[in-house]
Amino acid sequence: MLLRILGTAAGGGLPQWNCACPGCTGARREPARRRLHDGLAVHGTDPASWFLANATPDVAEQLESHPDLRPRADHARTPVVRVVLTDAELDHVLGLFRLREASRIEVWATVPVRRALLSQLRLGTVLAPYTPLIWHDLPLIGESGPATIAGLDVEALPLSAKRPRYAADEPADPAWSVALRVHDPHGGGTSLYAPALAAWSDAFAKEAAQADCLLLDGTFLAEDEPRRSGISERSASGMGHLPIEGPLGSAGRLSGSAPALSYYTHLNNTNPLTDPGDPGHERLARLGLRVAVERTVISL
Ligand code: MLT
Ligand code: MN
Ligand code: ZN
């Protein structure tokens, strides 16, 4: 399997259009620091076959910037686009509207995510005049067995009941936010993608320890970062994102058991790690962890 990292930023991207924090200012000064919204393209053994993990507001530029994701010379257009969603957050779903030129969009989502997109965002009503939207249930680990997408086995681990703000009235459900486990039945590799990890659980620890590649929530470096940077009165974990460092941090939890390929993604623009010179990078490297770089291709 091949994982193409299409973007590595949290909602807003880096720089965020309305923000002049040190991270956004640094990215304007040094374009190499810019980050698009986090998402992946995942290929099985057939390089022409792939699916997206999340459809970000940047999706069209993300597809265009990877030659292997552009329409093939022997097809006038990319016929079908397949999208697997980890949640219903705007930074992970707005790209579905941008994909309306597809001749068909196939979406794998959990029940609450699908319901939010249909009833709150009216995705089905809006896209119907443009392209068919085909829904598939995203199977949960241990339930009905994996979905086969682009020749890969895909299942989800429920992580949290945190709903998007626009769906606050929707019912609670443990599968509002999930980690995606992708297993290659031919090559044998397994990846785990969790851009929003609200709490550390035994189930998540087990999946992480068994993965060959982990792409993990790196929204905030510290638990008090949202408050210190003035973006929220809540803590990082209170916003649904375990911090990387500190007593609650995912880095300490992973220390000693992190897969050899472990990357933080979904970085918020307040995260000091958006500066490549930040000493936090060395602290993570000592634990075998690193921050994902835009456009990295990981082969498993
Ligand atoms: C999140 O990752 O917590 C959300 O995308 C935040 C938001 O933009 O509302
Ligand atoms: Mn987000
Ligand atoms: Zn900023």
Side-chain angles (χ1 to χ4, degrees):
M1 129 172 65
L2 274 188
L3 302 165
R4 291 180 194 278
I5 298 184
L6 302 182
T8 57
L14 184 75
Q16 180 173 306
W17 67 277
N18 63 343
C19 188
C21 73
C24 291
T25 305
R28 291 191 182 98
R29 189 175 61 239
E30 265 180 64
R33 293 192 196 180
R34 288 173 180 257
R35 292 174 184 267
L36 300 179
H37 290 97
D38 81 290
L40 310 172
V42 188
H43 297 256
T45 40
D46 173 3
S49 182
W50 47 269
F51 66 87
L52 294 174
N54 291 329
T56 83
D58 303 313
V59 70
E61 289 76 19
Q62 290 173 325
L63 293 174
E64 191 58 32
S65 71
H66 286 261
D68 287 341
L69 303 176
R70 295 177 191 158
R72 285 163 47 183
D74 55 345
H75 288 88
R77 294 169 192 273
T78 300
V80 178
V81 61
R82 300 181 183 86
V83 182
V84 184
L85 298 173
T86 59
D87 51 61
E89 296 289 347
L90 293 175
D91 52 339
H92 291 153
V93 306
L94 283 179
L96 290 167
F97 292 98
R98 284 199 78 187
L99 294 169
R100 68 185 179 280
E101 294 89 358
S103 42
R104 188 167 91 233
I105 304 176
E106 300 211 24
V107 182
W108 283 258
T110 62
V111 169
V113 168
R114 171 178 175 166
R115 205 173 44 225
L117 296 182
L118 289 174
S119 64
Q120 304 292 340
L121 295 188
R122 302 182 71 238
L123 183 72
T125 310
V126 171
L127 283 183
Y130 299 90
T131 189
L133 191 57
I134 315 290
W135 291 95
H136 303 274
D137 287 332
L138 176 57
L140 303 182
I141 291 175
E143 293 195 343
S144 52
T148 302
I149 314 173
L152 298 165
D153 291 340
V154 181
E155 283 173 291
L157 177 72
L159 293 180
S160 104
K162 185 196 158 205
R163 279 149 281 192
R165 282 185 267 173
Y166 71 79
D169 297 338
E170 294 278 327
D173 190 299
W176 271 107
S177 173
V178 301
L180 294 183
R181 179 175 80 184
V182 183
H183 175 71
D184 184 345
H186 307 288
T190 301
S191 63
L192 190 68
Y193 170 49
L197 185 68
W200 193 266
S201 67
D202 291 345
F204 182 79
K206 175 169 163 262
E207 291 300 329
Q210 289 175 355
D212 302 297
C213 175
L214 175 63
L215 293 153
L216 183 58
D217 184 346
T219 311
F220 300 114
L221 182 61
E223 176 72 341
D224 64 351
E225 185 180 317
R227 199 169 22 235
R228 261 192 298 115
S229 59
I231 61 161
S232 172
E233 281 307 308
R234 287 181 294 168
S235 62
S237 54
M239 293 180 72
H241 298 285
L242 272 189
I244 297 173
E245 291 192 327
L248 290 175
S250 54
R253 302 282 205 160
L254 282 169
S255 169
S257 65
L261 299 170
S262 288
Y263 301 86
Y264 281 107
T265 187
H266 192 273
L267 273 76
N268 195 51
N269 48 62
T270 53
N271 189 327
L273 296 174
T274 60
D275 177 353
D278 189 89
H281 291 281
E282 274 170 38
R283 294 194 298 273
L284 290 184
R286 284 196 288 274
L287 302 174
L289 305 169
R290 60 193 132 172
V291 173
V293 171
E294 294 278 291
R295 302 168 50 79
T296 298
V297 181
I298 301 163
S299 176
L300 297 181

